[in-house]
Amino acid sequence: TTAIDYLEKLPEEYKSVVKKKLVQLATNDKKSVVRASAIDYLSNNFRDDDLDSVYHNAVKERSYSVATSAFYALAKKDKKEVMKIVRQFETDKSINMRLAVAQIYSLYGNDENQNFFVKLSEETSGWNNISFAMFYTNFLKHCTDSIINSGALILENIARTKDNKWVCYFGQKGLKDLVQMYEDREKET
């Protein structure tokens, strides 16, 4: 729990002061966790257009958590715009930034983003495979059957990981979630 978490209890007349201070924190604080938390709070509690520049600048940050918070903030206003923005980061040098892109695609992507995930699967290793498996599974849930079938092979490869039981677990969980999705669809028809 951070001080930001307690802001909801402040009286209404302090809202503009709180917003101004949060903008300062989001743009100037030395700690990325504080900048990300400030962006999260702003996007959850203020809908003002003047915050767009804060979010657009935060996207350019090298901090994965700050950029991801900015992606989510922008997505709340315009999902199509955020999809264009994250596309620019598909080839970023940082695996963490590419995982942030995957996280957004897991929510709003479609079959067109499959090639990004295929390439990312080849470049992801170690513990990052857990994040990849979770994001990829969610992405596949809103794709066509042919993409899901090819994606299942990637998740199977992760599930067969012998050197890390947790990575293996999340690969298996992804496959189970897809099976459950199809079973739920069958029950609905």
Side-chain angles (χ1 to χ4, degrees):
T1 303
T2 66
I4 291 174
D5 296 328
Y6 293 105
L7 292 176
E8 293 173 9
K9 298 176 183 174
L10 286 175
E12 191 69 27
E13 60 265 19
Y14 290 107
K15 253 190 166 183
S16 65
V17 174
V18 167
K19 178 184 168 191
K20 187 176 179 180
K21 183 61 180 172
L22 286 169
V23 168
Q24 289 175 346
L25 290 172
T27 56
N28 299 323
D29 200 272
K30 292 177 184 174
K31 294 185 178 183
S32 62
V33 68
V34 173
R35 293 192 310 275
S37 293
I39 290 168
D40 291 339
Y41 189 88
L42 286 166
S43 71
N44 288 329
N45 295 282
F46 297 93
R47 300 283 179 248
D48 308 333
D49 289 338
D50 63 328
L51 295 173
D52 289 354
S53 63
V54 173
Y55 304 146
H56 281 281
N57 288 333
V59 162
K60 300 171 191 167
E61 286 237 9
R62 298 316 310 160
S63 165
Y64 159 72
S65 61
V66 173
T68 301
S69 291
F71 291 156
Y72 278 115
L74 291 167
K76 288 178 184 176
K77 294 189 117 188
D78 189 346
K79 292 175 181 130
K80 289 182 182 180
E81 180 188 1
V82 82
M83 290 295 286
K84 290 177 188 172
I85 292 169
V86 298
R87 189 166 285 119
Q88 300 169 32
F89 295 94
E90 284 185 354
T91 58
D92 195 273
K93 292 177 186 174
S94 167
I95 188 70
N96 289 329
M97 187 58 79
R98 291 194 313 273
L99 285 170
V101 171
Q103 192 170 5
I104 295 299
Y105 285 168
S106 76
L107 299 172
Y108 310 115
N110 58 39
D111 288 8
E112 295 174 14
N113 307 116
Q114 171 67 355
N115 288 337
F116 165 77
F117 278 100
V118 170
K119 186 171 188 209
L120 185 59
S121 73
E122 295 165 356
E123 299 168 346
T124 305
S125 62
W127 291 100
N128 284 331
N129 277 312
I130 292 173
S131 296
F132 174 83
M134 290 189 308
F135 300 150
Y136 193 45
T137 299
N138 288 334
F139 164 76
L140 290 172
K141 288 179 181 178
H142 42 90
C143 289
T144 60
D145 289 341
S146 62
I147 298 296
I148 293 171
N149 288 335
S150 64
L153 296 173
I154 292 172
L155 288 173
E156 178 186 10
N157 189 38
I158 294 170
R160 292 183 185 271
T161 302
K162 292 184 170 76
D163 59 334
N164 188 321
K165 68 180 181 179
W166 290 108
V167 170
C168 179
Y169 167 79
F170 280 95
Q172 292 170 355
K173 182 180 181 326
L175 292 169
K176 289 176 186 175
D177 287 355
L178 293 175
V179 169
Q180 185 65 51
M181 178 193 71
Y182 278 113
E183 288 175 355
D184 291 346
R185 286 183 187 173
E186 274 187 25
K187 290 176 188 174
E188 292 173 5
T189 57

